[in-house]
Amino acid sequence: MSLLEDSMTECVMLNKQSVPDGYGGIITSWTNGAEFSAAIRFDTSMQARIGEQQGVTSLYTIITKKKITLEYHDVIKRVSDGKIFRITSDGDDKHTPETAALDMREVSAEEWELPHE
């Protein structure tokens, strides 16, 4: 087992569902979707710290296997502590080549709270 695989933790996709409330409004709920493993790392680089002071909130890097493609604005939950992340980059942008022995795909994310509607 590699160090990357050792650092992975269980996560779950959160699916947004909107339904009419019967009074002309909408009720939004979030349900658990597919489960997968990911390594989630808080970015403490100098560039991230400067960005945070300027209002940028993409402070996490999430690494999955290549077969998992997280897309911009996907919402995931880390099972161990229930922390929620919103993906802020496109999963097709950073991944190892098909011929590489290392099997990984990388996205950036921000810590997020589910909106209450």
Side-chain angles (χ1 to χ4, degrees), residues 5 13 20 23 29-31 42 47 81 113:
E5 289 172 334
M13 291 290 297
Y23 299 100
S29 63
W30 295 84
T31 58
F42 183 69
Q47 291 90 346
D81 61 3
E113 291 186 31

Side-chain angles (χ1 to χ4, degrees), residues 46-57 59:
M46 186 56 69
Q47 291 90 346
R49 290 180 189 179
I50 291 169
E52 185 177 22
Q53 291 175 349
Q54 296 174 351
V56 176
T57 58
L59 298 176

Side-chain angles (χ1 to χ4, degrees), residues 25-89:
I26 295 175
I27 297 173
T28 300
S29 63
W30 295 84
T31 58
N32 288 349
E35 296 178 0
F36 62 98
S37 294
I40 301 174
R41 181 183 63 84
F42 183 69
D43 190 351
T44 59
S45 68
M46 186 56 69
Q47 291 90 346
R49 290 180 189 179
I50 291 169
E52 185 177 22
Q53 291 175 349
Q54 296 174 351
V56 176
T57 58
S58 301
L59 298 176
Y60 289 85
T61 299
I62 298 178
I63 297 172
T64 62
K65 296 198 177 268
K66 281 188 285 194
K67 65 183 178 183
I68 307 292
T69 303
L70 297 175
E71 298 176 357
Y72 186 71
H73 284 292
D74 276 348
V75 178
I76 68 168
K77 177 172 60 175
R78 184 167 51 198
V79 173
S80 63
D81 61 3
K83 187 174 282 193
I84 296 172
F85 301 92
R86 186 175 66 89
I87 306 306
T88 58
S89 67

